Amino acid sequence: MQKQTKLLIVGRTASGKDYLADFLKKKYGLSKVHSYTTRPKRRNEANTHIFLENGIQRTYFLENRYEIEGTIEGKPVFFTNEEIIAYTKINHHIYFATKQQLEESDIYVIDPEGLKELLSKTDDRNIYRIIYVNTSENNRKAQFLNREKIQDVNSAQFQNRNQSESARFEKFETEELSSLPHAIIVHNQVELSDEVNFKEVIKLVESELGIPDKIHYLNRG
């Protein structure tokens, strides 16, 4: 069976990781994992996740496993440790994806903790390419606040999210990223066109996912 390339996009809050994922999805017709979360859906938020209502996690520490249950649109759902490929918790909310979701998708936006678990659980059926999206804190704050009118977010929420993820990303950036084979670092400069900003990712996608070279690139308006 031919191995499939999976793009694992990592980045801090409002770094542009979802923008990059959506760019690749739209431009090349790729599919993206919509992970599950117990976080409430924000006002006017797009379908970025599958929102799990009344989510409960049961952890069995002695067995090193956990189960998650809840409801989706009123229907009960249940996920075992064996089904879950990656898991993390941010501000007391659970985020996770299943093995089936990953197998059916090309792109997964994931945080360092989820990435670590995913790589520990995977076999040799797939090729994983890690893309780290990096930009300044000022750029991230500006992008975050651009959502304010749509999703009722504010500066305090950015600081809270930024601080809550700071330790895990500092460890990832200083200790873990350099050890990941063939990882690509994207220095997201929002003033540049996408073909310049994402040129290394474009090269990777075209060479490894078998996409033709002659493409009309999407530019930011």
Side-chain angles (χ1 to χ4, degrees):
M1 183 173 65
Q2 187 176 3
K3 293 183 179 181
Q4 293 182 308
T5 296
K6 306 293 182 180
L7 306 177
L8 308 177
I9 303 179
V10 186
R12 293 180 184 244
T13 293
S15 60
K17 57 187 182 295
D18 285 298
Y19 181 91
L20 172 58
D22 289 338
F23 163 76
L24 296 173
K25 178 182 175 182
K26 183 177 180 180
K27 189 65 215 170
Y28 298 116
L30 303 180
S31 56
K32 172 185 170 184
V33 170
H34 285 194
S35 58
Y36 293 90
T37 182
T38 58
R39 171 178 68 76
K41 189 174 183 178
R42 303 185 186 105
R43 182 173 66 89
N44 296 328
E45 182 176 6
N47 293 322
T48 54
H49 299 283
I50 300 172
F51 294 92
L52 188 66
E53 303 154 0
N54 307 310
I56 298 174
Q57 175 190 348
R58 293 189 174 91
T59 304
Y60 304 91
F61 292 103
L62 294 179
E63 301 175 26
N64 192 29
R65 55 190 288 270
Y66 51 83
E67 298 168 345
I68 298 172
E69 64 177 276
T71 60
I72 298 175
E73 297 181 347
K75 297 180 179 179
V77 290
F78 179 79
F79 302 92
T80 66
N81 184 68
E82 290 72 27
E83 291 176 283
I84 296 170
I85 191 68
Y87 163 96
T88 193
K89 185 175 282 189
I90 302 173
N91 290 339
H92 308 294
H93 297 302
I94 298 168
Y95 295 78
F96 67 96
T98 65
K99 292 179 181 179
Q100 181 178 350
Q101 284 182 303
L102 184 63
E103 286 303 311
E104 295 173 352
S105 303
D106 304 298
I107 305 167
Y108 184 14
V109 176
I110 189 169
D111 86 328
E113 287 185 6
L115 176 65
K116 191 173 183 178
E117 180 178 11
L118 186 153
L119 294 177
S120 72
K121 285 185 171 182
T122 53
D123 50 33
D124 61 355
R125 287 183 297 175
N126 298 315
I127 299 170
Y128 296 101
R129 297 301 187 214
I130 292 105
I131 302 165
Y132 183 58
V133 183
N134 187 31
T135 192
S136 70
E137 183 171 329
N138 285 339
N139 277 346
R140 291 193 297 109
K141 185 175 182 179
Q143 293 301 311
F144 187 90
L145 294 179
N146 280 341
R147 309 172 190 169
E148 183 171 2
K149 294 180 180 179
I150 301 174
Q151 297 182 7
D152 290 333
V153 297
N154 55 46
S155 182
Q157 288 172 303
F158 172 78
Q159 293 301 332
N160 182 47
R161 182 69 180 260
N162 196 40
Q163 290 173 7
S164 69
E165 69 182 14
S166 180
R168 80 182 69 173
F169 272 97
E170 285 178 7
K171 182 178 181 181
F172 179 76
E173 292 163 348
T174 58
E175 300 177 19
E176 300 170 2
L177 181 58
S178 61
S179 66
L180 296 172
H182 311 297
I184 293 176
I185 301 177
V186 175
H187 298 285
N188 189 12
Q189 302 178 65
V190 296
E191 70 276 7
L192 299 178
S193 64
D194 290 325
E195 69 268 27
V196 174
N197 218 5
F198 303 141
K199 61 182 179 181
E200 293 301 319
V201 180
I202 288 170
K203 187 187 302 182
L204 169 69
V205 169
E206 292 181 3
S207 63
E208 297 208 11
L209 276 73
I211 294 172
D213 292 332
K214 293 183 180 179
I215 296 172
H216 175 68
Y217 293 123
L218 176 70
N219 289 306
R220 275 202 185 99

